[in-house]
Amino acid sequence: MAMEVTQVLLNAQSIDGNVRKQAEESLKQFQEQNLPSFLLSLSGELANEDKPVDSRKLAGLILKNALDAKEQHRKFELVQRWLSLDAAVKSQIKVCLVNTLSSTASDARSTASQVVAKVAGIELPQKQWPELIGSLLLNIHQLPAHVKQATLETLGYLCEEISPDVVDQDQVNKILTAVVQGMNASEANNDVRLAATRALYNALGFAQANFSNDMERDYIMRVVCEATLSPEVKIRQAAFECLVSISSMYYEKLARYMQDVFNITAKAVREDEEPVALQAIEFWSSICDEEIDILEEYGGDFTGDSDVPCFYFIKQALPALIPMLLETLLKQEDDQDQDEGAWNIAMAGGTCLGLVARTVGDDIVPLVMPFIEENITKPDWRQREAATYAFGSILEGPSPDKLTSIVNVALNFMLTALTKDPNNHVKDTTAWTLGRIFEFLHGSTVDTPIITQANCQQIITVLLQSMKDVPNVAEKACGALYFLAQGYEEQVHHLH
């Protein structure tokens, strides 16, 4: 069978359904009849430079699926099955896998990286394969760049598969050193630098001790920040992904880097390509999440209490952060209101603005109001929509007292816009904003009612009329009506 495995693997990818089905049957039979021999022939195929890339890649994927599964009980079975294989068979398979990391075919290398990590995920916790990390680290010093790249990719997958307590600190230090060196601006090969940056993302959970050491942390942060300036877009994106992860994992260690990180993120948000700019905004959303959690946990009624581990990064950044986020709101896509799953700079900026409002409360209102007032009546739909979106985004967080008088003025304007604005985007966002007004500023908890006998009928009339509008506007109008009714229901409960 080993002789024909190449052809069977190629047939399993045939466009002819019958050929494919027959090949899949043969592979299944081979696996059931003689598992050790099946796995050996797959690893041999993957490692063989003379074989076609397509058969090598599939051999690697089947091997990977023989080691791991999504369902827990199945995964447990596969792990036990691997552990009970003959040691000599496992050893031969592992040699093939590690050798494939130096293959000239990138698909074979990349597949082998994943399989090595899966085997390591099973064996390292059992104190088996102790020499793996050492041999990978030796590989890093190999000259061909593709070997270095595949090894870094493997280290990244490895960190994803195992928990930090499986690797001792000495090896963690060596892995981090190798990864951070690979990320360095002095690394001439972009593939190596990208693999290293992605590997760091997975290795951050292992770096607790290193982030507690000022010098090591400074070095890691410097290299990550430099990588956000790489000429290669994928490296910049991966470096910002590292910053986002660091912001939640090591929030309490960030104070001395915040000014630099602000400058880097602001530049990316204003000038960089969308995938990079989105991650730069995500950094600030992540800091908001951390601070919201801390402030909720400690209750909002402390003043200058030294026990509260909040650094108020958002509050300090407000004067610069808010203008940056408001600018993003004007970068809408023409058809985003039609696309359920749309995600772009304007939406990310609005989401972040909403998190900032929840983090700092009243302080955001005077910083956003001038933008709303200036843009809400402009002839360009983008300006009207951005102003409406900004308004809707800051309704959760600030106290009702701070917002009620503004909302009272805005309400009539919004109701008119919902029926008369010529642009669907603006109507969509207006209906969403009305829903947020009713959700957060109407009901038993609010002292000054926004909805009165005088305006209630008009509101309902407008919302019912909007339900006949295009589907995306109608859906938001239904949502607004729901929150309107819910607020009254709360009041009724309150009275009883």
Side-chain angles (χ1 to χ4, degrees):
M1 180 72 194
M3 294 304 295
E4 313 144 37
V5 80
T6 308
Q7 197 50 55
V8 179
L9 288 164
L10 292 173
N11 288 352
Q13 305 174 68
S14 163
I15 45 174
D16 181 333
N18 290 330
V19 175
R20 203 166 58 239
K21 195 159 181 258
Q22 208 176 350
E24 284 165 3
E25 272 305 306
S26 304
L27 289 167
K28 193 166 167 242
Q29 262 177 342
F30 185 13
Q31 177 165 5
E32 284 163 4
Q33 282 162 7
N34 191 340
L35 182 71
S37 162
F38 177 67
L39 297 177
L40 277 169
S41 64
L42 290 176
S43 61
E45 184 78 17
L46 178 60
N48 189 335
E49 290 287 86
D50 299 331
K51 297 291 184 180
V53 160
D54 284 345
S55 70
R56 295 175 71 184
K57 193 175 167 185
L58 183 59
L61 288 175
I62 296 172
L63 206 47
K64 186 176 115 181
N65 292 336
L67 297 164
D68 194 15
K70 283 204 166 55
E71 302 106 24
Q72 275 316 105
H73 67 277
R74 177 74 184 135
K75 183 180 174 133
F76 179 75
E77 281 169 15
L78 294 175
V79 167
Q80 294 311 313
R81 188 176 80 172
W82 171 265
L83 289 171
S84 61
L85 281 175
D86 180 65
V89 171
K90 285 188 288 197
S91 173
Q92 208 178 325
I93 291 172
K94 291 188 293 196
V95 169
C96 287
L97 291 174
V98 172
N99 288 345
T100 311
L101 298 177
S102 345
S103 166
T104 50
S106 67
D107 276 347
R109 286 198 307 275
S110 184
T111 309
S113 288
Q114 295 172 51
V115 187
V116 168
K118 291 290 177 200
V119 175
I122 295 172
E123 295 205 348
L124 292 181
Q126 306 282 335
K127 302 277 185 276
Q128 298 174 13
W129 210 1
E131 71 281 9
L132 169 67
I133 291 176
S135 65
L136 289 175
L137 291 168
L138 283 176
N139 253 358
I140 297 268
H141 304 297
Q142 297 292 317
L143 213 65
H146 67 263
V147 181
K148 214 171 177 175
Q149 176 263 329
T151 307
L152 286 163
E153 197 176 326
T154 308
L155 286 169
Y157 288 136
L158 183 76
C159 291
E160 208 175 4
E161 287 296 326
I162 58 177
S163 72
D165 52 13
V166 170
V167 186
D168 63 50
Q169 189 57 44
D170 179 50
Q171 285 198 311
V172 169
N173 293 344
K174 287 177 177 158
I175 292 172
L176 284 169
T177 301
V179 167
V180 175
Q181 276 174 352
M183 283 178 70
N184 233 317
S186 58
E187 173 54 64
N189 184 297
N190 273 342
D191 292 338
V192 170
R193 203 172 173 201
L194 178 60
T197 310
R198 287 179 174 163
L200 179 69
Y201 178 83
N202 287 330
L204 284 167
F206 290 70
Q208 300 283 357
N210 312 81
F211 264 80
S212 301
N213 174 316
D214 289 358
M215 225 168 76
E216 291 182 34
R217 184 178 64 245
D218 284 348
Y219 180 55
I220 294 171
M221 290 299 290
R222 196 190 82 221
V223 171
V224 173
C225 289
E226 281 172 4
T228 65
L229 307 172
S230 157
E232 174 57 50
V233 63
K234 283 182 175 160
I235 294 174
R236 295 199 300 276
Q237 182 183 344
F240 273 112
E241 284 168 4
C242 287
L243 280 178
V244 172
S245 184
I246 289 168
S247 70
S248 64
M249 234 179 263
Y250 300 110
Y251 167 85
E252 71 289 350
K253 303 268 191 271
L254 286 177
R256 63 205 276 179
Y257 314 106
M258 284 311 264
Q259 188 56 57
D260 289 338
V261 173
F262 180 82
N263 296 338
I264 294 166
T265 51
K267 187 172 165 37
V269 170
R270 292 197 167 106
E271 298 168 20
D272 213 327
E273 294 178 46
E274 185 172 87
V276 183
L278 287 173
Q279 288 302 320
I281 296 171
E282 187 59 35
F283 174 84
W284 291 101
S285 292
S286 173
I287 294 282
C288 287
D289 285 334
E290 289 304 308
E291 298 199 340
I292 290 168
D293 285 350
I294 292 168
L295 297 175
E296 273 178 6
E297 193 179 327
Y298 286 83
D301 42 354
F302 46 79
T303 44
D305 186 343
S306 58
D307 295 340
V308 178
C310 184
F311 289 88
Y312 300 100
F313 292 137
I314 298 295
K315 205 181 174 97
Q316 289 165 32
L318 274 184
L321 184 60
I322 296 299
M324 171 181 98
L325 292 173
L326 292 172
E327 262 177 57
T328 64
L329 303 186
L330 294 158
K331 297 183 179 176
Q332 308 96 324
E333 283 169 6
D334 288 334
D335 54 355
Q336 72 183 40
D337 56 334
Q338 301 301 323
D339 177 4
E340 274 291 300
W343 186 247
N344 54 44
I345 291 184
M347 297 170 86
T351 302
C352 187
L353 195 64
L355 288 167
V356 172
R358 286 175 54 202
T359 310
V360 303
D362 292 358
D363 293 353
I364 197 171
V365 179
L367 293 171
V368 175
M369 282 317 295
F371 176 85
I372 297 170
E373 286 158 358
E374 187 187 333
N375 289 291
I376 196 90
T377 54
K378 283 286 195 325
D380 178 357
W381 73 264
R382 288 177 185 279
Q383 289 172 285
R384 296 197 305 281
E385 194 274 339
T388 313
Y389 191 17
F391 188 48
S393 297
I394 63 166
L395 293 169
E396 183 188 6
S399 59
D401 302 349
K402 189 81 178 166
L403 294 168
T404 310
S405 58
I406 305 167
V407 169
N408 279 328
V409 176
L411 198 56
N412 269 338
F413 186 90
M414 300 253 159
L415 292 168
T416 309
L418 189 54
T419 45
K420 300 214 164 53
D421 199 288
N423 182 276
N424 264 336
H425 275 275
V426 177
K427 285 200 279 191
D428 181 305
T429 305
T430 302
W432 172 79
T433 300
L434 283 167
R436 301 223 347 139
I437 290 174
F438 304 151
E439 182 179 0
F440 298 114
L441 297 169
H442 152 63
S444 57
T445 50
V446 184
D447 296 338
T448 321
I450 280 171
I451 296 153
T452 57
Q453 301 268 270
N455 63 14
C456 186
Q457 195 49 55
Q458 185 206 357
I459 292 172
I460 292 173
T461 307
V462 168
L463 291 176
L464 290 173
Q465 192 183 330
S466 276
M467 285 183 185
K468 303 188 186 78
D469 209 322
V470 293
N472 55 303
V473 175
E475 185 196 347
K476 307 275 193 317
C478 291
L481 201 55
Y482 168 81
F483 286 120
L484 181 66
Q486 200 182 35
Y488 281 118
E489 192 183 336
E490 280 173 22
Q491 286 172 7
V492 172
H493 283 306
H494 216 64
L495 294 172
H496 293 306

